[in-house]
Amino acid sequence: MAGSSAPVGVLALQGDFREHIAVLRGLGADAIPVRRPTELSEVSGLIIPGGESSVMDKLSRMFGLAEPLKAAIASGLPVWGTCAGLIMLADRVLDAIDGQESFGGLDIAVRRNAFGSQLDSFETELDIPVVGEPSLHAVFIRAPVVESVGVGVTTLASLHDGRVVAVEQGNLLGTSFHPEMTGDTRFHEYFLGKVAAAA
Ligand code: GLN
């Protein structure tokens, strides 16, 4: 939050990082784009935005960020992945392209583009106890779903049919949807709370 020492980072290799930075700054947080290992080492938390996970994977390896980011995740840095970012945090990725890797950390399996071409993008209301009432309007864009969760993983939100779309495990948070697009800042506030608690 404003006045705290280290900024919060948003991985800015690709995707909708600008929207996350705008929401964080709107909440009074010091937010910076992260493209280099030196920038990663300065932040107190990191958001991995939506975009295209196979491209983000390639760019993160090309920019030398993949290994430092895996180490940061393992050492307890609070990290929140939205949509493609959720895929990047998953230990197991289903329907990945050939050779696609993730950073991992969340003991889950996610399926990319899980809603298929019939229902590429949609919006719905989700009940999410950790952010409170009322239900949160959620935007899904070629979204992944969480197909299985390990024992240490908490499910934060599910669709009406039971499919899991938000999870938390220790320092890590993942959502299939895009809270940066709706003007409802409760999920960003929840993440900033985790960052403050870890500091
Ligand atoms: N389908 C994209 C992927 O596989 C994710 C889409 C998104 O982030 N909105 O990475």
Side-chain angles (χ1 to χ4, degrees):
M1 298 300 228
S4 76
S5 46
V8 177
V10 182
L11 189 66
L13 298 172
Q14 193 266 338
D16 70 338
F17 55 90
R18 292 174 194 84
E19 288 80 355
H20 279 289
I21 290 174
V23 175
L24 292 170
R25 288 181 180 164
L27 289 170
D30 178 13
I32 62 164
V34 169
R35 296 187 182 85
R36 296 182 177 76
T38 50
E39 291 158 347
L40 178 64
S41 67
E42 288 167 16
V43 298
S44 56
L46 183 75
I47 296 177
I48 306 177
E52 173 47 54
S53 56
S54 59
V55 177
M56 227 180 271
D57 165 40
K58 281 193 187 120
L59 291 174
S60 66
R61 287 190 267 158
M62 204 181 285
F63 281 54
L65 260 176
E67 293 308 320
L69 191 34
K70 286 180 201 173
I73 289 167
S75 73
L77 183 74
V79 182
W80 171 24
T82 59
C83 203
L86 167 67
I87 297 168
M88 296 306 299
L89 285 179
D91 282 348
R92 296 171 292 286
V93 180
L94 309 172
D95 291 338
I97 68 163
D98 265 3
Q100 179 174 353
E101 293 175 19
S102 62
F103 305 132
L106 281 174
D107 182 12
I108 59 172
V110 295
R111 185 173 300 281
R112 294 178 63 228
N113 304 322
F115 299 95
S117 51
Q118 292 291 317
L119 196 61
D120 218 26
S121 302
F122 63 98
E123 304 185 12
T124 190
E125 311 300 318
L126 294 175
D127 291 320
I128 310 182
V130 293
V131 302
E133 300 280 338
S135 50
L136 187 124
H137 188 71
V139 177
F140 293 78
I141 304 167
R142 295 182 301 283
V145 295
V146 179
E147 291 219 343
S148 66
V149 300
V151 283
V153 179
T154 304
T155 295
L156 299 183
S158 307
L159 296 171
H160 295 301
D161 64 10
R163 283 187 286 182
V164 174
V165 292
V167 293
E168 181 164 21
Q169 181 182 7
N171 53 316
L172 304 179
L173 196 56
T175 56
S176 297
F177 48 95
H178 289 267
E180 74 285 8
M181 288 183 174
T182 57
D184 185 331
T185 59
R186 285 177 291 164
F187 231 100
H188 287 80
E189 291 171 56
Y190 183 63
F191 179 65
L192 288 175
K194 278 179 80 72
V195 173

